[in-house]
Amino acid sequence: MRFDDRVDAGRRLAGRLEDLRDADPLVLGLPRGGVPVAFEVAHALGAPLDVILVRKLGVPYHRELGFGAIGEGGIRVISEDIMRMSRVDEDDLAEVQRAEEAELARQAKRFRGGRPRIPLTGRTVIVVDDGIATGASASAACRVARAEGAARVVLAVPVAPPDAAERIGPEVDELICLSTPPLFSAVGEWYRDFSQTADEEVVALLHRNARETGGDGDDESDGNDGGCRSRTGPVELPVEDGRVRLPGDLHMPAGAAGIVVFAHGSGSSRFSPRNRAVAEALAEAGLGTLLFDLLTPEEEADRANVFAVGPLARRLTEVTRWLRRHTALPVCYFGASTGAAAALLAAADAAEEHARGEGEDITAVVSRGGRPDLAGADRLAQVTAPTLLVVGGRDETVLDLNRQAAAALRCENRLAVVPGATHLFEEPGTLDAVADLAREWFTGHLAAPPARAG
């Protein structure tokens, strides 16, 4: 099988990957030649596209012959056999690696323009190149994806030698290859047009994909919405590695300072009139909102699921990661009843990841009539997001539990009591008070500069 060019190869490859569409995949292209192929795959699947950066380590006197590869995050793959046959010693390796590390840094700056890598944690990742020769670069790329937390790694290429699966199989969950010709000497011989791909083409394709998917770098945005298009409407949120899709309602006004994700409580849903009333007040203040169902109707039938705040928090974290792939806006949480505990647990997880340099912290949390105590004192102490606990003055039991939770929190926090309100804030004017408190808390912390450690 021969390909006209990389565009033709990408379109043919996309046809073999159609069954991964529902997994909400992330497509990663190896620069430079793999990116035009990867763009066609991402376009066909409606998936975001990023580069995964690796550099071949070439034999000093024959650069096209690779004896290994390096990737982002310090990943290195070495072929001892090729080193031995080519008489490459440790000094040669060190010299070549230094040069390629410098090029790796240059490519990261050139292709991403200072934007962070799209997080891979928990995702199905499709690594795409224009073909495999020795397999060192592809192997390094797959190791980088795995090291960055990808849940499933699929390597997709148009052409490879017959023994590629045997050599690369341990690095991937699945290898998709359109052609494995028995007489294989080089990738380029299987293309009619295998001209070099320029840096400018890679950058242009990444920007074009961002425009198509509404991701970062959207040239059509007004520059104030974190790279996410203005959008209002229903969304489907993949969780549990794409096995479950949760319905939601997203409101993303242009120029929003941040987005508030709602975590409803026991027996409620994204249609909760109280949460929707608060969401409308936040939207009027120019904030984005996302209301979604934490459980499917079948799951809600088992009441134990409603109070399982740990699994609910994990779903909230997955939805937050989905949201961060589509916007660079700061994320806040609004939790009600048991949803408040899930929100605080997810905020504690975000704080831990942020401390490791693996993600962004949650900007602020508001709890309405919540049960933050269900998160546990140890986990509450790990929350770093400024937290507002709003409780009705006549909701005495929950008020006591919130006082205990406030004492366990080590972050900036405040307990606000709404006089005359019971648990559901059904009394005239009490829900308006909640909305005012939440709006002030979120807008105040979204406008404030991030706190400095120490």
Side-chain angles (χ1 to χ4, degrees):
M1 179 185 295
R2 291 184 184 273
F3 307 97
D4 292 337
D5 52 20
R6 293 180 176 91
V7 173
D8 175 45
R11 290 174 178 171
R12 293 202 219 180
L13 193 58
R16 288 281 301 275
L17 296 163
E18 184 63 32
D19 61 338
L20 292 176
R21 176 187 294 273
D22 292 339
D24 187 33
L26 169 63
V27 180
L28 301 176
L30 275 79
R32 291 182 289 266
V35 175
V37 184
F39 173 81
E40 297 299 329
V41 171
H43 176 76
L45 300 182
L49 171 68
D50 197 358
V51 289
I52 187 162
L53 299 178
V54 299
R55 292 293 300 172
K56 178 171 67 178
L57 301 176
V59 174
Y61 57 83
H62 184 18
R63 291 292 188 180
E64 290 304 309
L65 177 59
F67 63 86
I70 58 172
E72 295 179 282
I75 300 298
R76 187 175 79 172
V77 180
I78 298 295
S79 171
E80 301 290 348
D81 289 342
I82 296 178
M83 280 189 66
R84 186 166 47 253
M85 288 186 297
S86 304
R87 297 182 179 179
V88 175
D89 60 25
E90 290 297 326
D91 290 338
D92 294 329
L93 189 157
E95 182 180 352
V96 172
Q97 182 167 332
R98 277 195 300 272
E100 296 303 338
E101 284 174 344
E103 178 62 13
L104 203 64
R106 186 200 69 82
Q107 285 190 345
K109 183 177 181 180
R110 177 73 177 93
F111 297 146
R112 295 199 183 99
R115 291 179 295 111
R117 283 181 275 174
I118 299 177
L120 310 189
T121 304
R123 300 206 63 172
T124 294
V125 169
I126 305 174
V127 177
V128 180
D129 202 359
D130 53 12
I132 291 175
T134 66
S137 296
S139 179
C142 293
R143 289 191 187 186
V144 170
R146 190 79 73 189
E148 292 293 323
R152 183 183 180 197
V153 178
V154 178
L155 176 61
V157 294
V159 62
D163 61 348
E166 180 180 349
R167 285 187 278 117
I168 299 179
E171 308 291 347
V172 299
D173 297 295
E174 186 177 2
L175 171 63
I176 302 293
C177 182
L178 301 182
S179 178
T180 54
L183 299 177
F184 184 99
S185 60
V187 172
E189 66 180 331
W190 302 100
Y191 286 80
R192 294 181 179 88
D193 178 2
F194 198 63
S195 54
Q196 286 191 350
T197 303
D199 283 1
E200 291 75 16
E201 182 179 356
V202 172
V203 173
L205 290 174
L206 291 172
H207 278 289
R208 184 177 167 192
N209 173 268
R211 290 195 298 271
E212 291 181 356
T213 60
D216 295 347
D218 187 348
D219 293 337
E220 296 176 357
S221 73
D222 64 5
N224 296 318
D225 58 1
C228 184
R229 295 175 181 174
S230 174
R231 177 180 179 183
T232 297
V235 291
E236 279 196 343
L237 307 165
V239 296
E240 312 287 349
D241 292 331
R243 295 189 299 272
V244 179
R245 303 185 80 84
L246 304 174
D249 293 320
L250 175 66
H251 175 71
M252 185 72 75
I259 181 164
V260 179
V261 181
F262 283 71
H264 61 73
S266 55
S268 188
S269 73
R270 71 187 190 281
F271 299 117
S272 161
R274 287 172 288 278
N275 281 352
R276 295 187 86 85
V278 174
E280 289 175 7
L282 298 179
E284 289 175 0
L287 299 182
T289 59
L290 174 62
L291 295 98
F292 74 101
D293 292 345
L294 280 162
L295 298 170
T296 66
E298 296 76 16
E299 291 168 337
E300 285 181 350
D302 184 351
R303 293 295 293 172
N305 290 329
V306 174
F307 293 92
V309 294
L312 296 180
R314 286 192 289 274
R315 285 196 171 178
L316 180 57
T317 294
E318 287 190 71
V319 168
T320 303
R321 288 172 179 156
W322 176 90
L323 196 58
R324 293 197 191 281
R325 294 195 295 270
H326 292 79
T327 177
L329 292 174
V331 176
C332 303
Y333 289 155
F334 183 97
S337 192
T338 53
L344 287 164
L345 283 174
D349 288 339
E352 289 183 343
E353 291 183 1
H354 182 63
R356 296 194 300 265
E358 298 175 359
E360 296 298 321
D361 203 352
I362 300 303
T363 299
V365 178
V366 172
S367 163
R368 172 185 64 80
R371 289 291 310 276
D373 58 292
L374 295 176
D378 291 344
R379 297 292 281 149
L380 288 173
Q382 296 173 322
V383 175
T384 56
T387 300
L388 174 66
L389 307 173
V390 184
V391 187
R394 293 166 57 192
D395 192 9
E396 296 179 0
T397 300
V398 172
L399 181 54
D400 287 341
L401 293 171
N402 273 256
R403 289 192 179 108
Q404 295 171 28
L409 289 167
R410 295 292 178 265
C411 58
E412 176 191 349
N413 68 88
R414 176 186 165 200
L415 175 61
V417 179
V418 178
T422 53
H423 185 63
L424 296 179
F425 297 87
E426 296 174 304
E427 296 73 21
T430 56
L431 191 59
D432 290 338
V434 173
D436 290 343
L437 287 164
R439 181 176 59 247
E440 292 172 5
W441 191 259
F442 288 135
T443 57
H445 286 90
L446 284 166
R452 295 182 178 274

